[in-house]
Amino acid sequence: MAGNRGVVYKGNGQVEVESIGYPDLTLHDGPGVPKANVGRKCEHGVIIKNILTNICGSDQHMVRGRTTVDEGMVLGHEITGEIVEVGRDVENMKVGDIVSVPFNVACGRCKNCRKGETHICLNVNPEKPGGAYGYVDMGGWVGGQSEYVMVPYADFQLLKFPDKDQAMDKLLDLTMLSDIFPTGFHGAINAGVTVGSSVYVAGAGPVGLAAAHSAQLLGAAVVIVGDLNEERLKQARSFGCETINLKEHADVGEQIDQILGSPEVDSAIDAVGFEAYGPGTDYGAAPATVLNTAMDVVEAGGSFSVPGIYVTEDPGAKDKDAQYGSLKVNFGLGWSKAHSIHTGQTPAMRYQRQLMNAILHEKADIANVVNAQVISLDEAPQGYADFDSGVAKKFVIDPHGVFKK
């Protein structure tokens, strides 16, 4: 039997690459696994040899100590790989298939999955709706920043790439289908972006950049990206976005006015989430600032979406209310402007196939948009540290040396 190694959370600010158990088609007891999920049989699943698996900003929330994640959890929910074993009940997937794994663990059988709401599946997490790989409070499914990983409900979940050689040629783009490209696209769709739209995207990390590119694909006339990090804003400008440096310009509406001739946009996308900081040179933690900015700059009757993560428990928050997800949001302004607000995790499966086709037919350039950089599994801890420092890169782990030279 092959060995297995993975990226393991070791406490506040620390990850290490360790030997972990080689997966089988059972969810075993371990860090973060609810008692009701221990021993769960997954003959509907497959074992995947990870070809590429990415570091996500969502992972950083846990590593920074801003969640209640258990030490010892194997991290990672962005998985692309080759099937090396199939369960007894798998009918349509076979050994050798190259597949993308949506980050949502979903059964395909409950009423939410049947509606396409795979981000709130009712059967994979006994503690609340929704499951994910290697993430706090999401069912205890083992993460995929590893050499091998088990994926349940394979016939329902997996997106098989139609041509193996073509997939390998485009895999640095296709690996973004597991999370950030669908998440950015979902953010743009839920914000109501359409041909001729003006859009404000808060945050120039990988999800924000993916949202900005998605808005362009949907026909937006102007995409404005705001961030405190000039290096990341430079990356946004590299593919045609307007930008606002929030360290230099605290008034977002005033800067939008300089760009559009009006202080309001048709829609906005919050790609930051609960670890937001206020604008200006003396910025500090302000978890509601992006939500309040969106209510300020989105026109009356407009929409904004929130693909950025907000949590019910944030032990690292300075404000006592924020520690339990209670934020000081100017809801009265949003109500008075009749805003439509869309929240929640992304049902990644909903968009994977169409975005795959956009990549394969060279209509989307997502790897360049997010400045993907391939690293080895052993380099993952440094990748986490570099990403946390704010570099304008999307770190992609190559566990078996397929891409890393």
Side-chain angles (χ1 to χ4, degrees):
M1 179 181 291
N4 193 19
R5 297 190 305 150
V7 179
V8 177
Y9 173 70
K10 302 298 289 184
N12 193 355
Q14 299 180 58
V15 298
E16 294 180 8
V17 178
E18 295 183 349
S19 293
I20 60 175
Y22 187 86
D24 58 21
L25 299 175
T26 302
L27 181 54
H28 298 284
D29 196 8
V33 181
K35 289 184 178 180
N37 255 1
V38 173
R40 186 170 181 156
K41 300 297 183 181
C42 297
E43 289 293 341
H44 42 62
V46 299
I47 307 301
I48 286 179
K49 177 183 179 180
N50 292 321
I51 301 175
L52 294 177
T53 175
N54 317 327
I55 298 175
C56 182
S58 302
D59 300 320
Q60 292 285 20
H61 294 315
M62 293 185 290
V63 174
R64 292 188 191 113
R66 300 299 295 269
T67 71
T68 56
V69 63
D70 292 330
E71 291 187 24
M73 177 177 279
V74 181
L75 302 176
H77 55 270
E78 301 189 13
I79 303 164
T80 308
E82 179 181 4
I83 297 175
V84 295
E85 180 184 338
V86 297
R88 178 194 60 212
D89 299 333
V90 176
E91 297 181 355
N92 300 313
M93 298 290 162
K94 64 182 186 299
V95 171
D97 287 342
I98 306 296
V99 296
S100 177
V101 182
F103 76 91
N104 319 105
V105 181
C107 72
R109 304 164 185 179
C110 70
K111 68 176 183 179
N112 286 347
C113 284
R114 289 175 181 272
K115 293 189 297 183
E117 306 289 352
T118 55
H119 56 308
I120 44 175
C121 174
L122 299 174
N123 288 334
V124 296
N125 183 356
E127 297 183 337
K128 66 179 184 179
Y133 304 91
Y135 208 82
V136 60
D137 297 331
M138 298 302 283
W141 300 93
V142 179
Q145 285 170 15
S146 56
E147 294 172 326
Y148 298 90
V149 67
M150 189 269 283
V151 173
Y153 303 104
D155 282 330
F156 176 67
Q157 291 209 269
L158 297 181
L159 175 67
K160 180 170 67 176
F161 299 135
D163 182 271
K164 191 170 185 176
D165 291 336
Q166 184 188 34
M168 292 303 294
D169 185 57
K170 290 282 191 181
L171 207 65
L172 199 56
D173 293 282
L174 294 171
T175 192
M176 306 305 166
L177 293 175
S178 56
D179 182 355
I180 67 165
F181 201 6
T183 294
F185 196 79
H186 184 63
I189 289 285
N190 276 348
V193 177
T194 187
V195 175
S197 290
S198 59
V199 188
Y200 174 64
V201 179
V207 168
L209 297 176
H213 188 43
S214 297
Q216 293 173 332
L217 292 175
L218 290 167
V222 182
V223 180
I224 305 168
V225 180
D227 202 288
L228 295 157
N229 184 320
E230 180 57 32
E231 183 182 350
R232 289 183 168 185
L233 291 173
K234 182 180 178 181
Q235 183 64 25
R237 290 193 292 272
S238 74
F239 59 97
C241 297
E242 301 284 347
T243 61
I244 301 172
N245 187 319
L246 297 173
K247 272 191 179 180
E248 299 175 359
H249 306 289
D251 191 325
V252 175
E254 182 179 286
Q255 293 306 303
I256 289 174
D257 191 28
Q258 292 293 315
I259 297 167
L260 297 178
S262 166
E264 294 183 321
V265 289
D266 297 322
S267 57
I269 303 168
D270 174 1
V272 178
F274 73 106
E275 284 197 74
Y277 288 86
T281 56
D282 296 324
Y283 67 95
T289 191
V290 176
L291 299 174
N292 288 327
T293 296
M295 292 182 190
D296 186 43
V297 303
V298 172
E299 67 180 7
S303 300
F304 67 91
S305 64
V306 190
I309 287 179
Y310 288 82
V311 294
T312 55
E313 291 185 80
D314 175 9
K318 295 181 179 180
D319 180 86
K320 183 172 291 187
D321 288 335
Q323 291 179 3
Y324 300 96
S326 181
L327 308 180
K328 296 178 180 178
V329 176
N330 192 356
F331 192 75
L333 177 61
W335 187 92
S336 69
K337 294 175 76 172
H339 284 156
S340 296
I341 306 169
H342 302 266
T343 69
Q345 289 190 12
T346 297
M349 286 179 62
R350 186 181 300 174
Y351 309 104
Q352 280 191 309
R353 188 169 299 278
Q354 67 199 89
L355 294 177
M356 175 189 73
N357 288 333
I359 289 168
L360 294 179
H361 293 281
E362 300 188 346
K363 303 299 182 184
D365 193 25
I366 187 64
N368 283 330
V369 161
V370 300
N371 195 20
Q373 177 174 325
V374 179
I375 61 175
S376 70
L377 184 62
D378 287 322
E379 293 172 312
Q382 186 61 51
Y384 267 91
D386 291 345
F387 190 27
D388 193 48
S389 74
V391 297
K393 296 176 181 179
K394 172 69 172 178
F395 288 101
V396 177
I397 300 170
D398 174 12
H400 296 277
V402 175
F403 282 77
K404 184 70 173 176
K405 303 301 182 184

